[in-house]
Amino acid sequence: MTATEAAGTAEAAATRLPLVLRNRRFAAVWAAQVLTQAAGRMFQVGAVWWLVGYAAGTDRGLASGVFLAVSTLPAVALAPLVAALIARRPHRTVLGASAAVAGLVALGTAGWTYAATLPMAVAYGAALLLAGCQAVFDPCLTTSVPELVEDADIEAATGFELATQSLAGLAGGLLGPLVVDGAGLAGIVAGCAGAYLLAAALIAATRFPTAPGAPTADGDAPADGAPPADDAPPAGRRPLRRILAELPFVRRVLLCFTAANLFTTAVFVVMPLYTRTVLHADGSTVAALEAALGAGTLVGSFTGGRLPGTPTAVGAGCLGLMAAALALPGLPGLPAPAAGQATAVGSMAVAGWCVGVIGVRFVALFQRLVPATDRPGFFAVMQALLGATFPVSSLVFGLLGDHLSPRTLCLVQALGVLPVAAALWWTGRYAPEPAPAPAPGAQPIGDER
């Protein structure tokens, strides 16, 4: 075998490896996202169960709804600031700083929790600060994906990135209620602090590439031939208000998903209430439901790209299936608690799979449809639009949870998703998605072996 053939064989073998084994830069950043989102999810799920099971008394629905609303406000309120920050500063700096600040907030909260009983207002404040850090971290990482991987690996990178939410749901959702039952809220916050600080260390140890002519950390373009500095996006981006205005198909799709989120994200309020009042179970059952949702999303993230059909057709079908899955635990006549628990776990797994499929298909499409210079603003706006309904959903379903049964809330969720599925199908049927734009002119960074 000649040297050329051997090199070709080695390269072909390498390309068959998972992306995280072929690209160490992306693997480190992805691992940091897993840690931050798992920590955030563990704190969120654990704190909600702490409120429902221990701290909130008879107002558990409202208390948990307010907590979840507070946890999502930063992604909505800070979207313009986040977009500007990502556009002007090196991505490595933004990612590392947001993880480090979250670690310090969690560390301070953990110290307070071990020293004295944590007031509910402090728990809400910690949730607000941690969510703010995550609202910076996630769109910055999404913006960095095309710069860390080759164009052919965007779907794979997107699958790994979206799978982070699944892994976070599995780890955080599983550990959160269990740790609260065993070690209280103090154990949750201490674990979160360690995860955030480890993520910051991973980012600090990772060197980000940059294309020639990109601005440096000081905001100035390097001279020709100068060594590349840490990555920073090029200047000259368009105002945020023009991004969605010039992408009508993307705008319609985002509006559909925003409407769907009003009902689907209510599951994080409904699940603890369902466990408490219908199944009469403890934190281990909440953990099982969260784990099923995360496992389903994980599978969907890695199988969604293989399903035939256009993104709108696949998305509409998945929304319809999700409506059926959400309605199943609310149907009258289901025996409880054993059969009811099995039904709820299965429903969460199916709903999670639908979320994973929708996410990987549409985020990969957006990576190609949205011009590279608009991606920081676009993904910040996307996160804000999709998150805008979460506070409303949490408050509305939290209030309803104090007056309606969780079974009824399951049916309300399902009925709300069905019209959105029809709207998304109509969008693809009568306003077909445009062809993806050519790859950006900047030279993509290859795998680091």
Side-chain angles (χ1 to χ4, degrees):
M1 178 181 295
T2 65
T4 302
E5 292 173 340
T9 301
E11 184 176 354
T15 57
R16 288 194 294 268
L17 295 173
L19 178 61
V20 291
L21 299 180
R22 293 186 281 114
N23 189 324
R24 286 180 288 175
R25 291 188 182 104
F26 177 76
V29 177
W30 176 69
Q33 189 188 33
V34 172
L35 287 169
T36 59
Q37 287 201 354
R41 191 78 187 116
M42 183 169 70
F43 178 73
Q44 187 183 75
V45 175
V48 167
W49 180 243
W50 173 67
L51 290 169
V52 170
Y54 300 94
T58 57
D59 295 328
R60 58 177 67 99
L62 178 60
S64 58
V66 170
F67 181 86
L68 290 173
V70 166
S71 299
T72 55
L73 283 176
V76 180
L78 301 179
L81 296 178
V82 170
L85 179 65
I86 295 172
R88 294 172 183 171
R89 304 304 303 169
H91 294 163
R92 179 190 178 206
T93 301
V94 174
L95 292 170
S98 59
V101 170
L104 294 177
V105 170
L107 194 62
T109 306
W112 189 329
T113 307
Y114 278 110
T117 301
L118 189 71
M120 290 178 60
V122 175
Y124 289 157
L128 186 67
L129 293 174
L130 294 179
C133 293
Q134 201 70 48
V136 174
F137 191 100
D138 288 338
C140 184
L141 185 142
T142 303
T143 304
S144 303
V145 165
E147 302 155 9
L148 293 171
V149 304
E150 295 179 352
D151 184 73
D153 286 329
I154 284 181
E155 278 87 0
T158 301
F160 275 104
E161 184 194 353
L162 296 179
T164 303
Q165 299 176 1
S166 313
L167 293 173
L170 280 169
L174 181 63
L175 292 175
L178 295 178
V179 174
V180 166
D181 283 346
L185 192 64
I188 289 284
V189 186
C192 291
Y196 283 125
L197 294 176
L198 179 56
L202 280 173
I203 297 295
T206 302
R207 183 73 175 176
F208 275 40
T210 187
T216 64
D218 297 326
D220 299 323
D224 292 341
D230 284 344
D231 173 68
R237 303 185 190 280
R238 295 182 297 169
L240 291 178
R241 64 179 179 273
R242 294 183 55 191
I243 294 176
L244 292 179
E246 298 183 10
L247 297 168
F249 169 77
V250 172
R251 184 176 67 248
R252 285 190 289 267
V253 171
L254 285 182
L255 289 176
C256 286
F257 289 142
T258 299
N261 273 10
L262 180 63
F263 299 95
T264 59
T265 55
V267 72
F268 299 114
V269 176
V270 176
M271 274 194 299
L273 296 175
Y274 190 90
T275 300
R276 181 77 171 181
T277 62
V278 176
L279 301 180
H280 305 290
D282 56 13
S284 63
T285 299
V286 179
L289 295 175
E290 289 281 351
L293 185 66
T297 309
L298 182 64
V299 174
S301 296
F302 287 106
T303 59
R306 303 175 185 176
L307 294 179
T310 63
T312 49
V314 172
C318 286
L319 284 178
L321 181 59
M322 188 187 302
L326 294 174
L328 189 57
L331 296 178
L334 284 178
Q341 180 172 336
T343 300
V345 168
S347 297
M348 289 300 99
V350 173
W353 180 83
C354 294
V355 170
V357 171
I358 291 172
V360 74
R361 291 298 292 266
F362 281 95
V363 173
L365 180 66
F366 296 159
Q367 289 279 18
R368 289 191 165 90
L369 290 179
V370 179
T373 55
D374 286 336
R375 285 181 191 140
F378 170 78
F379 284 116
V381 170
M382 182 183 77
Q383 181 171 327
L385 281 175
L386 296 181
T389 55
F390 199 98
V392 178
S393 174
S394 300
L395 289 173
V396 170
F397 277 85
L399 286 169
L400 292 176
D402 290 333
H403 302 282
L404 301 177
S405 72
R407 290 184 185 273
T408 302
L409 296 182
C410 292
L411 298 177
V412 171
Q413 286 184 270
L415 291 175
V417 172
L418 285 177
V420 182
L424 185 61
W425 175 85
W426 183 92
T427 296
R429 183 75 170 83
Y430 295 100
E433 51 261 37
Q443 180 67 29
I445 302 301
D447 296 340
E448 179 188 352
R449 296 185 176 92

